[in-house]
Amino acid sequence: MAGLSSPANVSTRLQRIAELARRAPSMVLTTLAQHIDIDFLREAYRRTRKDGATGVDGQTAEAYAAALEINLQSLLNRFKTGTYRAPPVRRVHIPKGDGTTRPLGIPTFEDKILQRAVAMVLEAVYEQDFLPCSHGFRPGRSAHQALEALRNGMMEMHGATVVELDIQRFYDTLVPSQLRHFLDQRVRDGVLRRAIDKWLKAGVLENGNVTYPEKGTPQGGVISPLLANIYLHEVLDLWFEREVKPRMRGAAFLIRYADDAVLVFALEADARRVMDVLPKRFGKYGLTLHPEKTRRVSFKRPPIGGSKSGTDTFDLLGFTHYWTKSRNGYWVIKRQTAKSRLQRALKRVADWCREHRHMPVRVQARILGQKLRGHYGYFGITGNSRAVALFFNLICAVWRYWLDRRSQHRHMPWTRFQRLLERHPLPGPICVHSLYRAAAKP
């Protein structure tokens, strides 16, 4: 299809926006929507996942693509004239490790395309403003980079006092009027802002009923992570950098990934002072910190001659951080899969094995292999080999258990299961993000 692939053209426009925003960090931008044309929407369509769940209209990506040019032109016209109506998001609930659920809002496929286009423009602007401490849902940044920056910073401090932040139901309690105020400081393009307002006011469809929450932005929307980053950039990042750090007696730094964050202090007294004012700071913007999960942790390096760490551990992004001795006898910070995340991952695979135990074994092996590779791709870091190997062994045990129960007459003892694994091998545990493997590359 002519013009469908025009990433270079769109990339050039985004670079111009980014350069303008970089050169004028205090400028309020008012003419951004002009960059969104039919080529821009085609690129937004290309970047939109085609295999996601459908929204309230039930329209699939395949159905939308059947008349793609007509649909995109109609979408562009409605967006530019202000007649686009943001449909309600379809709410589903995803189980969490603590037994509760996380609500996700699923937009329609067309809404995802327009949200992607607007997010591309806003991202070009705000990537010039966001601070290095922010890692979540940003181009060229990842959870592993956040974890490495955290580890390196604490190693340089020889340990620290860590404040774990836990914002209660952040995506549900974000205050739209505050978000609009934050956006006013940088982006006042009427067309863009009108679309954002419609998404903030769009209803939520659940159990056949549509409600209109006064707060929040649906977690799961394409643009929601960027709006969340803008919100916390003002509430936490800038405040910590401009107001907190200059008042500290010792070194301090912040690592944030979306709404997960830790504040790290060389001096415990500094940590205490900041922790005392955190509830008031977040409360000013309608947010509440969890009184039990927001905590101060002593994470000092143990004495050189000590045999045990004697300090607490803390979790971030699915990993438990702890002190241990290296092979050379030095105290180092390592990370292992958090117990809650290991249990959650194991339960998901166990549920899948139970539901699909009658599926052909070769198909089960292929899908389980994909699940294992996905686990290794995130948790396979240097120092976490034991936890990764444990996950592999537990998955093998779970698979054998459910294969053993799919027939009353044929059983699956370990000897038979080993022969099955020889015919249908599962990928063995591997540290995908290995420092040693990276160092060995020429």
Side-chain angles (χ1 to χ4, degrees):
M1 185 179 295
L4 180 58
S5 297
S6 55
N9 178 25
V10 173
S11 178
T12 300
R13 267 180 273 179
L14 292 175
Q15 289 174 6
R16 290 173 183 165
I17 297 172
E19 180 61 22
L20 174 61
R22 187 190 63 80
R23 289 200 318 263
S26 300
M27 177 185 290
V28 176
L29 304 174
T30 59
T31 56
L32 293 172
Q34 64 178 344
H35 296 282
I36 299 179
D37 58 11
I38 194 67
D39 281 345
F40 205 96
L41 285 186
R42 289 193 191 106
E43 177 61 11
Y45 165 81
R46 188 184 71 83
R47 297 188 187 187
T48 301
R49 282 186 56 185
K50 312 301 189 295
D51 58 349
T54 58
V56 294
D57 61 356
Q59 187 177 47
T60 64
E62 183 180 5
Y64 194 86
L68 182 62
E69 289 300 301
I70 295 174
N71 288 333
L72 290 181
Q73 188 61 57
S74 171
L75 176 61
L76 179 65
N77 293 340
R78 284 176 283 140
F79 169 63
K80 289 297 182 72
T81 59
T83 57
Y84 181 79
R85 293 185 178 182
V89 297
R90 182 171 66 87
R91 174 165 285 176
V92 298
H93 292 269
I94 306 299
K96 296 174 63 176
D98 58 3
T100 62
T101 61
R102 175 184 290 109
L104 292 181
I106 303 175
T108 64
F109 185 74
E110 182 175 70
D111 213 23
K112 292 177 184 178
I113 296 173
L114 187 56
Q115 286 192 29
R116 176 67 62 192
V118 173
M120 286 160 60
V121 173
L122 291 181
E123 186 178 82
V125 174
Y126 281 98
E127 273 302 304
Q128 318 313 310
D129 299 347
F130 289 157
L131 302 181
C133 63
S134 169
H135 294 266
F137 303 104
R138 294 182 57 189
R141 289 173 172 262
S142 68
H144 292 106
Q145 290 176 337
L147 291 165
E148 199 60 24
L150 174 62
R151 181 185 182 276
N152 292 340
M154 290 191 298
M155 287 293 292
E156 289 180 6
M157 286 182 174
H158 305 299
T161 298
V162 176
V163 174
E164 290 184 89
L165 284 186
D166 187 281
I167 307 172
Q168 294 193 96
R169 301 173 59 241
F170 167 69
Y171 284 90
D172 295 333
T173 57
L174 176 153
V175 181
S177 60
Q178 291 285 3
L179 176 60
R180 294 186 185 99
H181 172 68
F182 296 149
L183 287 167
D184 283 342
Q185 300 174 38
R186 198 62 160 129
V187 175
R188 293 185 191 171
D189 182 288
V191 178
L192 291 185
R193 293 294 299 274
R194 187 165 53 219
I196 293 172
D197 277 347
K198 290 178 179 180
W199 289 321
L200 292 174
K201 296 176 182 177
V204 176
L205 176 65
E206 185 173 13
N207 298 325
N209 298 316
V210 178
T211 58
Y212 297 89
E214 296 181 0
K215 293 184 178 182
T217 177
Q219 189 173 2
V222 174
I223 202 170
S224 294
L226 178 56
L227 297 180
N229 268 339
I230 294 170
Y231 204 87
L232 289 176
H233 171 71
E234 297 284 345
V235 174
L236 179 59
D237 301 356
L238 285 178
W239 172 73
F240 188 83
E241 189 68 26
R242 295 177 178 176
E243 298 185 35
V244 173
K245 286 177 65 174
R247 292 177 168 84
M248 297 294 95
R249 294 177 58 193
F253 67 92
L254 161 70
I255 296 292
R256 183 175 66 80
Y257 191 95
D259 59 332
D260 290 323
V262 292
L263 284 61
V264 183
F265 302 90
L267 299 180
E268 183 179 354
D270 287 342
R272 289 179 180 274
R273 289 171 56 201
V274 174
M275 193 166 181
D276 287 342
V277 301
L278 281 174
K280 184 177 180 180
R281 173 64 185 179
F282 279 82
K284 179 180 178 181
Y285 299 98
L287 304 176
T288 304
L289 296 179
H290 196 291
E292 297 175 0
K293 295 182 180 179
T294 299
R295 63 189 189 113
R296 187 180 70 255
V297 179
S298 174
F299 200 72
K300 299 292 184 180
R301 186 180 68 180
I304 295 177
S307 59
K308 294 183 179 180
S309 67
T311 63
D312 293 331
T313 64
F314 69 93
D315 292 352
L316 180 69
L317 299 176
F319 289 92
T320 298
H321 297 68
Y322 64 101
W323 284 99
T324 188
K325 282 192 174 181
S326 68
R327 294 177 181 177
N328 296 326
Y330 299 106
W331 286 107
V332 295
I333 298 171
K334 287 192 176 181
R335 297 150 296 182
Q336 66 181 18
T337 310
K339 290 182 180 180
S340 60
R341 292 293 291 270
L342 182 65
Q343 293 169 353
R344 193 189 317 171
L346 182 62
K347 184 180 185 304
R348 283 199 300 263
V349 176
D351 289 344
W352 184 90
C353 288
R354 174 176 53 82
E355 295 169 4
H356 299 87
R357 61 186 181 275
H358 297 294
M359 182 181 287
V361 171
R362 68 178 185 281
V363 179
Q364 291 189 48
R366 176 174 56 81
I367 297 175
L368 285 174
Q370 294 172 352
K371 294 180 183 297
L372 283 167
R373 291 187 187 94
H375 188 87
Y376 303 156
Y378 185 76
F379 290 103
I381 66 172
T382 300
N384 196 34
S385 57
R386 287 186 180 181
V388 171
L390 174 62
F391 184 73
F392 171 79
N393 292 330
L394 291 173
I395 293 305
C396 288
V398 165
W399 191 27
R400 187 202 71 82
Y401 177 88
W402 286 109
L403 288 176
D404 188 53
R405 274 150 183 76
R406 68 178 187 168
S407 172
Q408 295 180 350
H409 305 291
R410 299 187 66 188
H411 297 289
M412 184 64 66
W414 275 105
T415 52
R416 184 179 169 204
F417 182 68
Q418 291 295 336
R419 292 195 298 270
L420 182 146
L421 282 179
E422 292 175 0
R423 296 193 305 272
H424 306 286
L426 297 178
I430 183 174
C431 286
V432 176
H433 307 277
S434 171
L435 295 176
Y436 307 112
R437 185 180 297 110
K441 290 182 179 180

